[in-house]
Amino acid sequence: MGWLQTPDFKNPGFDSGDVTDWWVFPYGNDIAWVWEVKRDNGDNYLNISVSQADVALGLIRIGQDLQLSSATGVVFRHRCTGYTALDALEIWVYIVADEPAILYKYKITGEYSWTQTYVDISSYQGRHKLYVEVVYYGKEMEVGFDDIHLVGPGF
């Protein structure tokens, strides 16, 4: 029960070696999602991949229920290492408050190395579900996430 008092994501860098403390929700018909913790330069990160024989549509969401009282933003690192021309990928930051809201969208158009992103959440206070999501249409993809943290006074 003590983790409820922690003012940040639990296991934000996947240092436990797994997705402990994270909700992982895969959606999509006949899509074989794979999520696993991998290492890059001695650092753990969450790798999400899918490979299909046919073009498929789906999404995978990772998240936690958080107390956002003093949080002004979310920062996280992401990269794409697997991409084909048929793929349409987006990374969304999604919050469930009174009504679900997409706070951030990033259109992936090719492979890229680690990039840090900041998303403003200052208009949300109290306890909310906060997700990072990959929306996918294509044959294959591989996206990594790491160092997902809340920022603001006291963090």
Side-chain angles (χ1 to χ4, degrees), residues 26-71:
Y27 296 96
N29 293 331
D30 302 321
I31 296 179
W33 292 101
V34 176
W35 58 90
E36 60 189 334
V37 175
K38 291 187 172 183
R39 292 187 70 74
D40 181 38
N41 294 324
D43 188 27
N44 285 356
Y45 70 96
L46 178 63
N47 190 73
I48 298 172
S49 62
V50 65
S51 181
Q52 292 295 120
D54 297 316
V55 174
L57 173 64
L59 64 88
I60 190 165
R61 178 183 293 169
I62 63 169
Q64 293 184 20
D65 189 16
L66 299 167
Q67 180 58 253
L68 303 179
S69 297
S70 62

Side-chain angles (χ1 to χ4, degrees), residues 2 9 12 14-15 24 34 36 38 58 68 71-72 75 79 85 88 93 96 99 116 119 129 142-143 145 150 153 155:
F9 287 93
F14 306 97
D15 296 325
V24 181
V34 176
E36 60 189 334
K38 291 187 172 183
L68 303 179
T72 58
V75 293
R79 74 174 183 183
V93 173
V96 177
E99 293 292 325
Q116 183 165 309
V119 179
K129 291 176 177 60
E142 193 164 332
V143 176
F145 293 100
L150 295 175
F155 288 94

